[in-house]
Amino acid sequence: MSQLKRTNKIGPQETHPSNDGPQGKPLLPITPGLLTERPLLLKSKLCIPRPRPNLVPRPHLVQKLDSALQRPLTSVTALAGFGKTALLTEWATQSTCHVTWVSLDPSDNGAFQFWAYLTAALQKLDQNPREGLLFLLQPLDEKHTKLFLSALLNQVSDLPEGSVLILDDYDVIKSDLIHEGMTFFIDHLPPQLHIIIASRSIPTVATARLRVRVQLLKLTKDDLGFTVQEASEFFYRAGIQNLSSQDVARLNAETEGWVAGLRGT
């Protein structure tokens, strides 16, 4: 009688994806019925945006972002047109940190897609990414989200020191399940990873707890609004050089340093 060979086939043409963690131990069991294909992600959403032309440098805010890296979370919160993305792009392109980026949009409100993008961004920083982690994504409920996030946090603990994840336009995320997952993720971050969230409103994550523990840096419109000197530099770079210093000061006061408002004057 011929011997039967053991295989890892799930079905006629399906192979069991790798799910090995350290020392070959599985991060989580994979069973038939889970996702067996890599999700299709737009690479452009995982790229740091190009700096805008004629960008006004903001070294004092870049320095603030540098000083926040010992804390788990930074939130950059202001209405559209205050230069959140421009500031973070300026910082990211100058920083010596290991920076990865996700540009969010309303289609990312599904937990599956949101965590697929976040996982892919973090794996760009991992020198030894474990491909099996993406296969753990499935239609996520509260129980499976925490199981998945526990596995993701175990992988994140292997990232290099000075790793930074930037989530831009987080205000488009309305899902309570995602907010709860982000709170769990931030609460258990290893010290080598810092998260920066840019949003038009205060992010619905662990901000209150972290603020009490002095573990959160907040930049708001009061920080992002242009000073008179920055407004003057803005007009100069835009080719508007016929304004007096009094005109610049008046326009900056009327717009409260709102860059989009100055652009429309």
Side-chain angles (χ1 to χ4, degrees):
M1 181 182 293
S2 60
Q3 291 184 336
L4 294 176
K5 294 182 180 180
R6 294 183 61 190
T7 70
N8 61 350
K9 288 187 177 180
I10 298 173
Q13 295 181 338
E14 291 182 296
T15 57
H16 197 303
S18 169
N19 186 35
D20 289 344
Q23 292 81 46
K25 297 179 180 179
L27 293 170
L28 282 177
I30 295 181
T31 57
L34 295 191
L35 179 71
T36 56
E37 294 183 1
R38 196 187 269 269
L40 181 62
L41 304 178
L42 290 173
K43 291 184 178 179
S44 58
K45 292 177 60 171
L46 299 172
C47 295
I48 298 172
R50 293 187 184 94
R52 291 184 178 180
N54 302 320
L55 183 71
V56 176
R58 315 205 69 187
H60 65 293
L61 293 180
V62 168
Q63 187 175 8
K64 277 192 174 184
L65 289 171
D66 282 335
S67 68
L69 296 179
Q70 300 305 314
R71 308 174 190 181
L73 179 65
T74 294
S75 69
V76 182
T77 306
L79 297 177
F82 267 97
K84 300 182 296 295
T85 301
L87 170 62
L88 293 177
T89 300
E90 178 185 0
W91 177 82
T93 53
Q94 295 178 15
S95 177
T96 59
C97 293
H98 307 280
V99 181
T100 190
W101 186 293
V102 182
S103 296
L104 297 166
D105 62 51
S107 69
D108 299 320
N109 271 282
F112 171 86
Q113 180 151 315
F114 176 87
W115 291 111
Y117 272 109
L118 191 141
T119 300
L122 290 171
Q123 288 191 328
K124 291 176 69 175
L125 303 180
D126 195 343
Q127 297 176 350
N128 299 294
R130 290 185 281 279
E131 295 294 333
L133 194 60
L134 283 179
F135 287 98
L136 298 175
L137 288 166
Q138 56 183 317
L140 293 173
D141 55 21
E142 183 176 359
K143 175 185 175 182
H144 289 105
T145 297
K146 287 192 176 180
L147 287 172
F148 165 74
L149 290 178
S150 297
L152 179 59
L153 285 161
N154 286 340
Q155 176 169 315
V156 166
S157 64
D158 294 330
L159 294 181
E161 291 291 336
S163 295
V164 180
L165 168 65
I166 296 176
L167 299 176
D168 196 18
D169 291 328
Y170 188 83
D171 53 280
V172 301
I173 302 301
K174 310 299 183 184
S175 166
D176 289 338
L177 181 61
I178 293 176
H179 294 323
E180 291 166 8
M182 277 297 296
T183 298
F184 178 85
F185 189 70
I186 292 168
D187 278 344
H188 296 86
L189 275 186
Q192 63 265 44
L193 178 63
H194 180 81
I195 294 180
I196 300 176
I197 293 178
S199 176
R200 296 185 185 183
S201 55
I202 297 173
T204 312
V205 292
T207 52
R209 261 195 323 278
L210 291 172
R211 191 160 55 242
V212 169
R213 287 153 41 191
V214 199
Q215 294 291 297
L216 168 70
L217 172 69
K218 289 179 61 179
L219 296 180
T220 67
K221 73 179 187 66
D222 294 334
D223 302 289
L224 295 171
F226 271 179
T227 65
V228 174
Q229 183 178 354
E230 288 171 330
S232 180
E233 178 72 10
F234 169 81
F235 285 123
Y236 178 81
R237 289 172 178 256
I240 304 172
Q241 301 174 22
N242 59 345
L243 295 174
S244 68
S245 56
Q246 290 82 5
D247 289 334
V248 172
R250 176 180 56 80
L251 289 171
N252 197 59
E254 289 175 355
T255 59
E256 297 182 332
W258 183 34
V259 184
L262 291 172
R263 191 176 289 118
T265 58

